[in-house]
Amino acid sequence: MQAIKRIITKFLILMTVSLMLLSGCGEFKDIDKMVFVSMIGIDQTNDSKKPYKIILKLYVPTSSFRQSSTPQYSYLIKEGETLAEIISILESHTDKELDFGHSKMIVIGEEMLKNEKNKEILDFLIRRPDIQMISYVGMGRPNAEEILKFVPKGETALQPTLFNYFDNDGAESSYIITSFLFDFRRRLKAEDISPILPIIEIDKPTSHFIVDKSIVLEEDKPPYELDSQKTMLVKMLSGDAKNIFFSVNRENEHFVARLDNIKVNYNLKKGENNNLSLNVKIKLVGIITESKKNLSNKELPRYSKLLEEEMKEEVEQLIHELKNEGYDPIGFGLRYNAYTLPKNRMDSKEWMEAYKNAELKVTAKSSLKSTGSVQ
Amino acid sequence: MSRYYYYLILINMIANIISAVPTILLHYGSDGAVSGLLIGIMLGLAIVICFTKFFNAFPGKTFPEMLVETTAKWFYYPLLFFMAVLWFIAGVSTLITYTFMLIRYLTPDIPIMIIGLTLFVPIIFGCFMKTDRVLYAIEIVFLINFPLIIFIIIKAYTSKDLNWDFIKKSMLYIVQMPNINVVTSCIFLFLGVVNLVVFNRFFTHKQHFGLKQVVVISFIAVSTIFTTYFIPIGFHGLKSIDELIYPWVATSDSMRMRYFLIERLVYVFLLLYLAMAFLSILIHWHVAVELFKFIFKLEKLKLKGINVGNILLVALFAVCSLYLIVTLTEYQLFQYSIYLFNISSIIFFAKIMLFVYIARRLKGAGDQADNN
């Protein structure tokens, strides 16, 4: 027993001494040897040999928040033929290791989107394991570089303001479409739902971002832009909007309703000869927040009726427009396929034809609960 | 049934989320995966019931002991050797997949040999523990990690980015002919019960195995397999999902925890599955080690009082697994995993016949003993 104990003691001493020989983690890079990328921007150049331009927005580390309360960023910009090549060259432009693990936003320039190189961009972004699948994707207008380089007033060193627009934490606007990288990928790959991206613009005089429009992509077609009202309706129909403000102007009434309980249901039925009928049912509950005239509590049912009519008209107009142009950001095609056996499904050409000629029926039901604090 | 029995089955099912199984299932997503899964579940349940009934009839006896009593030497040595090799490969495939995953996502700067070795060392030490201690270790690690697994699964189902239309669309492929590779990899999920060949040593009392237990196991199986197959589809769509090498890593990367310390769920997922991979390999290799010990009588190989046999076995395991880790590519791993699943499901079905034979011989022997 004594002998064993002695052996164990000797062994432990030997182990402890051998720790001295360790040189630390040779393969692990310390945090001061790394620089964190906050946003990635991808732009199109005029040079056909070097079509891509990558802009990386890097955090400049500060020792404390008090020391520099205004944010500081540095930028790396490079043009080249392939994205991975550009990144590897950019790594030689900085003294530290580039870390993409904290990058939360990908901005694609407007020109780039028009040239339909999305699959190549996507391939690069997905293939790199350190780029988050939950990064936000957006389109930069006029290009990605300006969006990345723009620091709005009031931005603190804590976080770039642009993230707050999309994470539904700060701003909860129903005009902002949030598109994650994985969502962009699945829509781009699937034939029956079109990718939709928010458009990020800069409002120069007051110096802040505006994100209230969106752009719908489709293969072999130019991107299709939706203005803010249509963006809101698309978001509502996709079931993502928490609350919307909707203005009604008919029959001498002009009021704005805040609808905070929205339920949207749609289905597609196929009749003979690929005749599709598309039924959209919308249920709305809300209150009136503004009116040009005095309102009467008694007449709430009538206001609801007006709201229903207005909503029906606008939604019908939007869907007609989308299907005539052949874009499907809401995913009607996907819904149709979700209830159709594989052998009965249409191929994309037949589907496009059927979708264009689909018979649309929108029913809206709303109940306005109050006229607000005053009648 | 004892709770340890459920651990054996459950760990094999859960740990396979990171192995090649979901990749194979999703690869055949529009070629008969769903119908294949249904058939696989039924056949898998049949295997679970047969194996459990058989081993439950002879409490405390391991499979090699039974074979010695009932069959000839020329028959059982090759059989056990083959089984041991098969189970070693099953462990290695999980080890390789996890090593690849670590180097891809967590520690891209560390050489692959070192990652493989750091995983290998604790596992191999665990394998040489006594059977009951292995089970206790499994229980501790499993109980720590199980709540986190439930958390991730709840997170996945409640995420508003999970698009059920994609899931419904892929479900409708049920009308197709089942794909054989899908069936066998689904059966492989149930093969945790095969570990009873050695672990039956621990279950020394006859246990109740009735309808209730079968229902519990089928519920666990159906829900795990549904989650394994359909959740990645809900997040990434059916088309071109086979482009994703690790569908579940990509899926966990698509979920976010807005108010947690870290936003990316993928790191929680990877660390959690480190524990699961450890348990899965530990169980497989414990069985393999015990079988090898039995075949080559390793305990008797002694040199100056030191057990050389065990050291030889460890060296063999280390060399084989590290060699495979360094040489295999992801595509080869995928292909060989399909072969492994095909072979193992055929073998374990054939084994049910053998069980009938052994059970009759053993019962006959028992009756004779009673008569005398």
Side-chain angles (χ1 to χ4, degrees):
Chain A
M1 216 47 217
Q2 207 72 41
I4 293 174
K5 263 188 187 166
R6 212 172 293 153
I7 289 172
I8 290 177
T9 330
K10 271 182 193 166
F11 179 71
L12 281 179
I13 291 172
L14 198 73
M15 288 294 284
T16 327
V17 171
S18 72
L19 285 179
M20 300 273 198
L21 297 172
L22 290 178
S23 61
C25 304
E27 302 296 336
F28 180 76
K29 290 201 173 65
D30 253 328
I31 197 158
D32 57 335
K33 298 283 187 296
M34 291 199 280
V35 58
F36 296 100
V37 179
S38 82
M39 288 186 212
I40 306 170
I42 303 168
D43 261 337
Q44 169 91 18
T45 61
N46 296 326
D47 190 351
S48 62
K49 273 185 189 164
K50 293 179 171 178
Y52 296 108
K53 179 173 173 187
I54 284 196
I55 308 105
L56 300 178
K57 188 173 188 171
L58 309 174
Y59 292 111
V60 174
T62 50
S63 55
S64 77
F65 183 60
R66 259 182 227 141
Q67 191 191 31
S68 72
S69 52
T70 50
Q72 286 183 334
Y73 302 102
S74 62
Y75 302 92
L76 289 176
I77 300 167
K78 178 82 193 159
E79 295 168 8
E81 198 182 349
T82 58
L83 296 161
E85 208 176 44
I86 304 174
I87 299 275
S88 69
I89 293 173
L90 281 178
E91 270 168 359
S92 68
H93 289 201
T94 168
D95 60 325
K96 303 182 181 85
E97 160 114 349
L98 286 176
D99 188 313
F100 285 88
H102 293 262
S103 145
K104 277 178 73 175
M105 176 100 216
I106 296 154
V107 183
I108 304 173
E110 190 170 7
E111 288 298 311
M112 194 88 234
L113 273 186
K114 281 185 183 154
N115 283 324
E116 290 169 25
K117 287 208 175 125
N118 305 320
K119 292 218 162 135
E120 287 161 46
I121 301 173
L122 188 78
D123 180 82
F124 164 76
L125 294 172
I126 299 280
R127 210 176 279 278
R128 262 192 93 101
D130 51 349
I131 292 180
Q132 304 187 11
M133 291 278 235
I134 48 171
S135 323
Y136 310 113
V137 187
M139 189 198 99
R141 175 173 282 170
N143 55 35
E145 190 175 348
E146 283 196 29
I147 299 291
L148 255 68
K149 285 195 168 170
F150 181 66
V151 178
K153 271 182 194 164
E155 179 163 322
T156 61
L158 291 171
Q159 189 185 30
T161 319
L162 200 49
F163 297 169
N164 278 339
Y165 283 85
F166 297 107
D167 68 358
N168 275 332
D169 217 16
E172 261 189 88
S173 162
S174 41
Y175 294 101
I176 300 175
I177 297 271
T178 303
S179 170
F180 292 108
L181 183 58
F182 74 90
D183 186 48
F184 183 50
R185 177 185 182 275
R186 71 178 173 192
R187 283 166 178 262
L188 205 60
K189 298 271 176 184
E191 281 162 350
D192 38 15
I193 183 164
S194 317
I196 179 167
L197 293 180
I199 298 179
I200 307 162
E201 290 169 296
I202 302 170
D203 186 20
K204 278 275 184 241
T206 45
S207 64
H208 56 82
F209 290 112
I210 304 175
V211 189
D212 63 351
K213 300 186 189 71
S214 58
I215 195 153
V216 186
L217 313 173
E218 184 71 44
E219 222 172 329
D220 310 324
K221 269 186 202 168
Y224 186 71
E225 190 179 326
L226 299 175
D227 64 16
S228 32
Q229 183 71 8
K230 285 174 196 157
T231 302
M232 183 199 72
L233 288 175
V234 165
K235 189 167 177 173
M236 184 193 84
L237 290 172
S238 315
D240 292 334
K242 265 190 188 158
N243 57 56
I244 58 171
F245 287 89
F246 193 76
S247 134
V248 180
N249 186 7
R250 53 171 64 211
E251 291 182 25
N252 292 329
E253 299 286 351
H254 192 178
F255 62 88
V256 179
R258 184 195 136 101
L259 306 163
D260 43 18
N261 194 347
I262 306 157
K263 280 198 183 107
V264 179
N265 207 340
Y266 50 86
N267 59 33
L268 290 101
K269 282 203 185 89
K270 192 173 123 180
E272 283 167 31
N273 303 335
N274 285 354
N275 278 338
L276 275 181
S277 63
L278 169 58
N279 297 309
V280 182
K281 280 179 196 155
I282 307 167
K283 265 189 194 168
L284 307 155
V285 181
I287 58 172
I288 293 175
T289 50
E290 188 191 331
S291 172
K292 302 267 182 209
K293 281 188 190 168
N294 277 349
L295 298 169
S296 153
N297 250 342
K298 265 189 219 157
E299 288 200 72
L300 274 175
R302 191 172 76 90
Y303 302 142
S304 294
K305 196 115 198 173
L306 293 178
L307 175 69
E308 279 165 21
E309 281 167 15
E310 183 87 18
M311 180 62 91
K312 194 180 157 193
E313 203 178 286
E314 286 209 20
V315 169
E316 267 177 0
Q317 205 186 339
L318 170 79
I319 297 178
H320 270 302
E321 195 181 318
L322 285 174
K323 72 192 176 92
N324 286 339
E325 301 285 337
Y327 295 91
D328 187 10
I330 301 160
F332 292 122
L334 182 63
R335 177 62 58 89
Y336 172 75
N337 285 339
Y339 290 96
T340 317
L341 285 178
K343 60 174 186 241
N344 299 338
R345 284 177 195 163
M346 302 180 221
D347 64 22
S348 51
K349 242 188 193 164
E350 282 174 339
W351 163 253
M352 233 357 126
E353 201 53 42
Y355 178 52
K356 259 181 199 169
N357 301 325
E359 192 189 329
L360 177 67
K361 204 180 146 204
V362 179
T363 45
K365 252 189 188 169
S366 78
S367 78
L368 290 170
K369 296 287 181 199
S370 140
T371 55
S373 308
V374 287
Q375 279 206 345
Chain B
M1 291 302 287
S2 157
R3 61 180 190 279
Y4 295 101
Y5 165 78
Y6 292 109
Y7 294 153
L8 290 180
I9 292 186
L10 202 57
I11 284 170
N12 197 52
M13 279 182 189
I14 293 178
N16 269 304
I17 277 185
I18 52 151
S19 77
V21 172
T23 320
I24 294 172
L25 299 185
L26 293 167
H27 186 78
Y28 298 103
S30 45
D31 286 316
V34 185
S35 43
L37 281 177
L38 276 184
I39 293 182
I41 288 175
M42 282 177 221
L43 294 178
L45 274 176
I47 282 194
V48 170
I49 293 169
C50 289
F51 269 68
T52 316
K53 288 244 176 204
F54 172 72
F55 282 106
N56 203 11
F58 308 103
K61 262 193 183 171
T62 63
F63 190 54
E65 286 166 12
M66 291 182 208
L67 282 175
V68 170
E69 280 178 41
T70 52
T71 52
K73 259 188 189 171
W74 62 265
F75 178 74
Y76 68 74
Y77 274 127
L79 177 76
L80 288 177
F81 181 72
F82 188 67
M83 249 188 92
V85 172
L86 201 65
W87 239 219
F88 168 70
I89 293 173
V92 164
S93 82
T94 319
L95 181 69
I96 298 173
T97 320
Y98 200 79
T99 316
F100 282 179
M101 216 181 265
L102 278 183
I103 199 160
R104 202 74 69 244
Y105 288 93
L106 218 52
T107 52
D109 296 330
I110 299 179
I112 195 161
M113 267 299 245
I114 295 190
I115 300 180
L117 209 62
T118 31
L119 287 174
F120 178 82
V121 170
I123 294 167
I124 199 70
F125 275 110
C127 292
F128 282 91
M129 292 194 294
K130 284 199 180 102
T131 303
D132 53 344
R133 304 225 172 123
V134 172
L135 280 172
Y136 299 146
I138 290 170
E139 178 166 42
I140 292 170
V141 179
F142 187 69
L143 283 186
I144 293 171
N145 288 293
F146 193 62
L148 276 171
I149 294 180
I150 296 293
F151 171 74
I152 287 187
I153 290 175
I154 290 177
K155 196 83 198 153
Y157 276 106
T158 53
S159 168
K160 71 175 174 47
D161 296 315
L162 182 74
N163 194 332
W164 281 90
D165 278 348
F166 281 117
I167 296 181
K168 284 177 198 157
K169 185 181 162 189
S170 60
M171 247 183 218
L172 289 178
Y173 284 100
I174 197 164
V175 287
Q176 285 170 328
M177 277 293 283
N179 183 296
I180 188 71
N181 291 333
V182 172
V183 176
T184 53
S185 29
C186 184
I187 289 175
F188 188 79
L189 293 176
F190 288 88
L191 290 188
V193 75
V194 174
N195 296 311
L196 279 179
V197 294
V198 165
F199 280 96
N200 201 35
R201 189 185 284 160
F202 177 80
F203 302 105
T204 43
H205 297 288
K206 198 174 164 88
Q207 309 191 25
H208 180 68
F209 185 73
L211 188 66
K212 201 176 108 192
Q213 280 74 14
V214 175
V215 169
V216 169
I217 291 172
S218 13
F219 174 73
I220 295 173
V222 171
S223 49
T224 339
I225 289 168
F226 186 90
T227 310
T228 312
Y229 180 68
F230 286 110
I231 292 292
I233 290 181
F235 275 102
H236 295 286
L238 182 62
K239 208 181 170 202
S240 70
I241 191 165
D242 52 338
E243 286 170 11
L244 299 172
I245 311 266
Y246 303 108
W248 259 94
V249 179
T251 305
S252 62
D253 199 12
S254 309
M255 302 174 211
R256 50 196 291 254
M257 297 180 288
R258 259 160 75 179
Y259 303 115
F260 197 58
L261 289 172
I262 31 175
E263 196 179 5
R264 290 178 84 177
L265 199 71
V266 63
Y267 294 115
V268 181
F269 178 84
L270 281 174
L271 287 176
L272 176 66
Y273 271 87
L274 181 63
M276 284 297 125
F278 169 76
L279 289 185
S280 169
I281 305 167
L282 178 67
I283 295 174
H284 283 146
W285 279 10
H286 179 72
V287 172
V289 162
E290 290 294 312
L291 292 179
F292 276 124
K293 267 189 189 168
F294 175 81
I295 299 164
F296 297 111
K297 306 279 182 293
L298 289 176
E299 250 122 43
K300 286 180 190 156
L301 274 176
K302 276 189 182 169
L303 203 71
K304 292 179 185 170
I306 304 168
N307 197 332
V308 191
N310 287 351
I311 295 172
L312 274 177
L313 193 63
V314 171
L316 186 74
F317 270 40
V319 170
C320 285
S321 48
L322 290 180
Y323 174 75
L324 287 174
I325 285 176
V326 177
T327 51
L328 280 189
T329 62
E330 274 164 355
Y331 177 73
Q332 285 168 326
L333 181 67
F334 177 72
Q335 280 300 322
Y336 296 156
S337 303
I338 292 183
Y339 298 149
L340 169 73
F341 297 153
N342 287 349
I343 292 172
S344 53
S345 19
I346 294 167
I347 297 279
F348 291 111
F349 257 105
K351 213 164 245 177
I352 293 174
M353 311 275 189
L354 183 64
F355 285 168
V356 176
Y357 173 75
I358 293 175
R360 290 183 99 185
R361 292 283 301 255
L362 279 177
K363 285 234 170 80
D367 290 344
Q368 261 182 10
D370 289 345
N371 290 341
N372 293 343

